[in-house]
Amino acid sequence: MLAADPGASIASIAAEAGVDRRTVYRRFASREDLLAAIHAARLTAIERAIEDARLREAPVAVALHRYVENIIAVNRTWPVDLTHMLADDGIRARRDTSVREVDAFLRRATDEGLLRPGLPQGWAGALLPQLMHLVSRQLPALSAGQAADVVVDTLLNGLGAP
């Protein structure tokens, strides 16, 4: 609901969930507390997705596909506005740690020849999340695995004809 309408009220969220708004307020003292819990849950899911992908240990191509598939699933489960998520210093610090982990993996992918060298610094790290976000929203009929196939193929091969 918040993905569709970031300004959704607690009352409308409660109604959509089929509970009284007092039930929501018993768990979350304010709308900000609810949003903080959502953002923390999304970040925890991202951290688990990165851990599960085994970015440091798994073969690069396997780790890339697993990471992309996992993040697409996170994006679909927790479709929240990331700019609000980054307003909290603790959340931002955790997110920055995750970004550094993925950036290190992308350097590994370049070093091992999966990604081509010579691209502008940070380009793969900027492009990959955009591709995952786009496929999460634009191709909902695809499974996370199928969507990951599209993202990885686009990242590695571009859109040009072979």
Side-chain angles (χ1 to χ4, degrees), residues 18 25 45 52 57 63 71-72 77 98 101 118 121 131 137 147 153-154 157:
Y25 278 117
D52 178 66
E57 307 86 26
I71 295 298
I72 289 167
T77 302
S98 294
E101 183 79 18
Q121 185 173 352
L131 289 172
R137 302 300 185 274
D153 182 60
T154 302
N157 301 311

Side-chain angles (χ1 to χ4, degrees), residues 91-144:
I91 297 281
R92 183 179 311 142
R94 285 176 59 197
R95 180 211 174 249
D96 289 349
T97 299
S98 294
V99 168
R100 283 191 298 275
E101 183 79 18
V102 172
D103 286 346
F105 168 73
L106 293 172
R107 283 191 299 278
R108 177 180 164 223
T110 301
D111 293 345
E112 293 187 19
L114 189 68
L115 298 176
R116 76 170 184 250
L119 294 172
Q121 185 173 352
W123 183 242
L127 182 60
L128 184 56
Q130 296 301 319
L131 289 172
M132 292 184 296
H133 175 77
L134 187 61
V135 79
S136 296
R137 302 300 185 274
Q138 296 295 320
L139 301 174
L142 296 182
S143 70

Side-chain angles (χ1 to χ4, degrees), residues 45-46 48-74 105 108 114 128 132 144-145 147-149 151-152:
I46 290 169
R48 286 184 182 141
I50 290 170
E51 183 179 323
D52 178 66
R54 300 180 52 238
L55 299 180
R56 294 179 191 205
E57 307 86 26
V60 173
V62 171
L64 175 63
H65 195 280
R66 186 179 296 143
Y67 168 72
V68 170
E69 185 174 349
N70 290 347
I71 295 298
I72 289 167
V74 170
F105 168 73
R108 177 180 164 223
L114 189 68
L128 184 56
M132 292 184 296
D149 291 343
V151 169
V152 170

